[in-house]
Amino acid sequence: MFSAINTYTWNQTSHTKSFPDDILAVSYEDGKWSKPYYDCGGGNIWMLTYTVPFFAFKDAKYFFKGTSGIDIDLRRVDIDQCSLPEGSTKLNIFASSNKCKIETTQCVSLAGFGFRRGSYKCVCRKGYFFPNTTSTEKSFNGVVVEEEYEKLMLGKPNTYNVETNFQCKKCAEGCDDCVDFSPCIATYDIILRITILLLTLVVIGFLPMVAVFTFKYSDLKIVKAASPVLLQIIILGAFFMYTTIIVMYPTPNLVTCTARFWLREIGFSLTYGALMLKTWRVSQVFKVNSAKTVRITDKQLIKLLLLMIAFVTVILFIRTMVSPPHTIVGRTADNLKTDICPTDWWDHSFSILEVLFLIWGIRLCVMVRKTPSAFNESRFISIAIYNEFIMSVFLNVSMIFLKYPANPDLQYVIFFCHAQLTATVLLGLLFGSKALIIYKGEHKVEETSSHKITTQKLKFNSKQKHSDPSYESISDNKEITELQEIRVLRTTIENLIEEFLKCGPAYSDYVLRLQAMLEVMKNSKLGESEELQQKLALSNGCVIKVDNNKDESCTKKH
């Protein structure tokens, strides 16, 4: 409290040197602020007083003399009864003294009301809305809240104690902000989705029947020529594709989003992988018009298909680990929220691979488009591949436009239609056509005609052999007779190959066997002895000229 100063005299007549002197000086810290009080009977206002002491000096001592104060009118000073922000160090003795019901409301301070209670309003918290939806002021008046609370404290009738009073109402489920109880989450069309689900289950229920049909008639040429094992694989792939519709029925979540693209890609690979390989085999068998043996068995195709499935599985596993599926909140055209499975560059990459795979299939279909077929299976496979290509392009393009705004019901309908227009159409073309032919009995006519072709061809070549004069002329010569018969046999085999080639893939097994027989005859060089050829030529009245590495020529003797 004591402070050192310099004392000196300075006037017109006297100038003295300054010397240090100690006097009693009062600082701000020595004063004291009073609590706010109401000056009743005086100014009748709320006031705040700052008081400091002052001292007198006598007999070389300081002693307390009195106090000096300043009164501050608080009528223009606002008070803040709201809670301080978290971490704030601001001094506010009125903080958290508001009477807002903190369960659903929060305090917002108002300026300009002066030093009085209720200088705030109670607004709704996030996720709640003001009960009176027609009111322009969406808050509770702090003055009214304070008055009702005071009545409660005094034991008087009040509305503060009513649980629903001065409370906001909770928004509908999923709403962050709202002005009424209107829904914020899009609701599914349950009738539509159940109908689609039931139709999908009905279609899946037919798959075991198709599998039994394939197994039961696997010995018939119409089914056997189409490779029953590959047909069963196609049915399995269709099952996976249909199951995609089932997992899309509930609200999207981590499991359904993951299962959806796994089932889709595995089903697509099984179904269209088997189709492509069947078409590829046909293209390999009929791409050259020669007697060279081309044999591709079902086991070889299944091995290739397993490699394809393994590749797709590895890519799917990597995608699941690197970029796990998840759900995001989309907005419908009505600005309603809905959970959706987002698409990223992984999904786009798989779509591009599917399209490229189908383009390769289209190329194969073009290669075998002129290949004759007894049961039109190649044509049906081509139609199925063209159809899948068009539908896949449509699906991928539509998914881009269905993301914003989101429409879960429309998306569900599109996926269902895509499955029916691709997998169901494919099954109808492959199995429905076979079932119809078997039902009408046309497969028996086809097999009978095939048998007649073989029998008639053999008879024709036999007659040709016995009516040949040259054959009669050398009948006494055993070696020449054998050579003649071998040549007739080769001619017969070549003619049969030509006939079976016209019948298409259904007779590919017969073609392969005949080609193998012809190859064996060529490799063993049956009937190629120079001596036998000379004898045969002489018996026919010809002179054989044999030149190494050149074809033989026959010149008639005159």
Side-chain angles (χ1 to χ4, degrees):
M1 185 176 292
F2 285 93
S3 177
I5 63 173
N6 292 326
T7 302
Y8 60 92
T9 301
W10 182 271
N11 53 38
Q12 294 179 351
T13 59
S14 176
H15 299 284
T16 62
K17 294 181 179 181
S18 62
F19 59 92
D21 188 12
D22 292 331
I23 64 173
L24 189 62
V26 179
S27 64
Y28 174 79
E29 287 75 12
D30 297 325
K32 185 177 181 181
W33 286 96
S34 69
K35 292 182 178 180
Y37 62 94
Y38 188 76
D39 187 16
C40 185
N44 292 326
I45 60 173
W46 283 94
M47 299 175 60
L48 191 66
T49 301
Y50 177 72
T51 305
V52 295
F54 64 89
F55 300 87
F57 185 78
K58 186 177 181 181
D59 298 332
K61 292 182 179 180
Y62 288 99
F63 61 93
F64 176 75
K65 188 70 175 178
T67 61
S68 176
I70 181 173
D71 296 330
I72 300 175
D73 186 0
L74 296 179
R75 286 178 298 177
R76 296 184 179 274
V77 177
D78 294 326
I79 64 174
D80 186 0
Q81 293 180 257
C82 297
S83 302
L84 292 174
E86 186 177 354
S88 175
T89 58
K90 180 181 177 181
L91 177 61
N92 182 6
I93 62 175
F94 300 103
S96 302
S97 62
N98 67 86
K99 302 304 182 294
C100 294
K101 295 186 176 181
I102 61 174
E103 296 85 2
T104 62
T105 63
Q106 59 185 5
C107 174
V108 175
S109 181
L110 299 176
F113 283 83
F115 198 81
R116 55 179 294 186
R117 291 182 303 162
S119 299
Y120 60 87
K121 61 181 179 179
C122 300
V123 299
C124 297
R125 289 184 176 274
K126 190 174 183 179
Y128 294 86
F129 66 94
F130 193 70
N132 187 0
T133 57
T134 60
S135 174
T136 56
E137 181 62 35
K138 305 293 185 181
S139 62
F140 299 104
N141 192 321
V143 174
V144 177
V145 174
E146 290 284 344
E147 290 176 354
E148 294 300 319
Y149 183 79
E150 184 179 9
K151 292 178 182 179
L152 175 64
M153 295 294 100
L154 296 175
K156 297 180 180 180
N158 65 91
T159 58
Y160 188 89
N161 202 30
V162 179
E163 185 177 356
T164 57
N165 282 357
F166 307 114
Q167 293 273 27
C168 291
K169 294 184 178 180
K170 189 174 181 60
C171 296
E173 183 182 359
C175 295
D176 297 326
D177 295 299
C178 60
V179 294
D180 52 27
F181 200 69
S182 299
C184 297
I185 297 179
T187 55
Y188 292 158
D189 189 336
I190 300 299
I191 297 178
L192 172 66
R193 297 177 80 87
I194 290 179
T195 302
I196 291 177
L197 180 63
L198 291 177
L199 290 175
T200 302
L201 293 175
V202 170
V203 174
I204 292 177
F206 280 104
L207 294 181
M209 301 171 60
V210 177
V212 171
F213 165 82
T214 305
F215 178 78
K216 181 178 179 180
Y217 295 101
S218 60
D219 292 334
L220 294 182
K221 188 175 296 182
I222 186 174
V223 178
K224 188 175 182 179
S227 301
V229 176
L230 294 178
L231 293 178
Q232 299 285 8
I233 293 175
I234 291 174
I235 296 173
L236 179 61
F239 170 76
F240 283 122
M241 296 175 71
Y242 288 135
T243 310
T244 304
I245 308 301
I246 298 177
V247 300
M248 289 181 63
Y249 176 79
T251 303
N253 53 58
L254 175 62
V255 175
T256 58
C257 289
T258 304
R260 190 183 77 175
F261 73 83
W262 270 84
L263 292 172
R264 161 67 187 172
E265 298 305 330
I266 295 296
F268 177 87
S269 301
L270 286 172
T271 300
Y272 290 94
L275 278 183
M276 301 297 185
L277 291 176
K278 282 166 62 68
T279 309
W280 173 76
R281 177 167 62 181
V282 174
S283 68
Q284 295 299 307
V285 171
F286 294 99
K287 72 177 181 179
V288 291
N289 188 18
S290 66
K292 183 180 179 181
T293 303
V294 178
R295 184 171 181 81
I296 303 175
T297 63
D298 288 348
K299 289 184 178 180
Q300 291 174 311
L301 294 184
I302 292 174
K303 288 180 181 179
L304 293 175
L305 183 61
L306 290 177
L307 290 176
M308 187 185 304
I309 299 301
F311 172 76
V312 173
T313 303
V314 170
I315 299 299
L316 288 172
F317 180 78
I318 294 174
R319 182 260 162 93
T320 305
M321 294 295 102
V322 174
S323 179
H326 59 282
T327 60
I328 61 173
V329 177
R331 292 283 181 175
T332 65
D334 299 327
N335 201 32
L336 299 178
K337 295 191 296 185
T338 181
D339 291 332
I340 59 175
C341 299
T343 55
D344 52 18
W345 70 271
W346 281 97
D347 300 277
H348 301 320
S349 299
F350 274 106
S351 299
I352 293 173
L353 288 177
E354 286 184 10
V355 172
L356 293 177
F357 187 64
L358 291 171
I359 291 175
W360 177 64
I362 292 174
R363 178 179 177 275
L364 292 176
C365 293
V366 172
M367 292 174 61
V368 302
R369 69 186 186 280
K370 294 183 179 180
T371 301
S373 175
F375 305 109
N376 293 323
E377 186 181 51
S378 296
R379 185 182 304 171
F380 292 147
I381 291 177
S382 299
I383 294 174
I385 293 175
Y386 296 149
N387 179 62
E388 174 63 29
F389 176 78
I390 296 173
M391 291 296 105
S392 294
V393 172
F394 169 76
L395 176 66
N396 291 315
V397 172
S398 63
M399 287 299 100
I400 296 176
F401 294 98
L402 286 178
K403 289 169 60 178
Y404 309 104
N407 192 329
D409 289 332
L410 180 59
Q411 187 180 32
Y412 195 52
V413 171
I414 290 178
F415 270 92
F416 170 76
C417 293
H418 178 267
Q420 301 306 316
L421 293 176
T422 55
T424 306
V425 170
L426 167 63
L427 295 177
L429 291 172
L430 288 184
F431 298 94
S433 60
K434 292 177 175 56
L436 184 61
I437 291 175
I438 293 175
Y439 175 76
K440 291 182 177 180
E442 295 179 4
H443 67 291
K444 297 179 181 179
V445 177
E446 186 69 28
E447 291 178 357
T448 303
S449 62
S450 172
H451 178 71
K452 287 181 178 180
I453 290 174
T454 305
T455 305
Q456 291 174 359
K457 199 66 184 178
L458 289 173
K459 288 181 178 180
F460 171 77
N461 285 286
S462 177
K463 290 179 180 179
Q464 185 182 32
K465 176 181 69 174
H466 290 289
S467 62
D468 190 347
S470 62
Y471 179 80
E472 295 293 338
S473 64
I474 61 173
S475 59
D476 295 332
N477 191 319
K478 183 178 180 181
E479 292 179 343
I480 296 177
T481 302
E482 291 176 354
L483 176 61
Q484 186 76 7
E485 290 179 349
I486 290 172
R487 286 194 169 183
V488 171
L489 179 60
R490 286 180 57 179
T491 303
T492 303
I493 292 175
E494 290 174 353
N495 291 334
L496 285 174
I497 290 175
E498 291 180 2
E499 291 295 330
F500 282 129
L501 284 174
K502 295 178 181 179
C503 296
Y507 298 92
S508 59
D509 288 341
Y510 297 102
V511 173
L512 293 174
R513 293 173 185 174
L514 292 173
Q515 287 176 341
M517 293 171 60
L518 197 60
E519 192 70 20
V520 170
M521 294 179 66
K522 287 186 177 182
N523 293 336
S524 61
K525 298 189 179 297
L526 291 174
E528 298 299 327
S529 169
E530 180 179 339
E531 182 180 355
L532 289 177
Q533 291 183 29
Q534 291 284 0
K535 292 180 180 180
L536 178 61
L538 289 173
S539 67
N540 287 325
C542 296
V543 176
I544 288 291
K545 296 181 180 180
V546 180
D547 190 5
N548 292 336
N549 301 325
K550 293 184 179 180
D551 295 336
E552 300 88 349
S553 61
C554 179
T555 305
K556 285 283 185 179
K557 293 190 298 182
H558 299 286

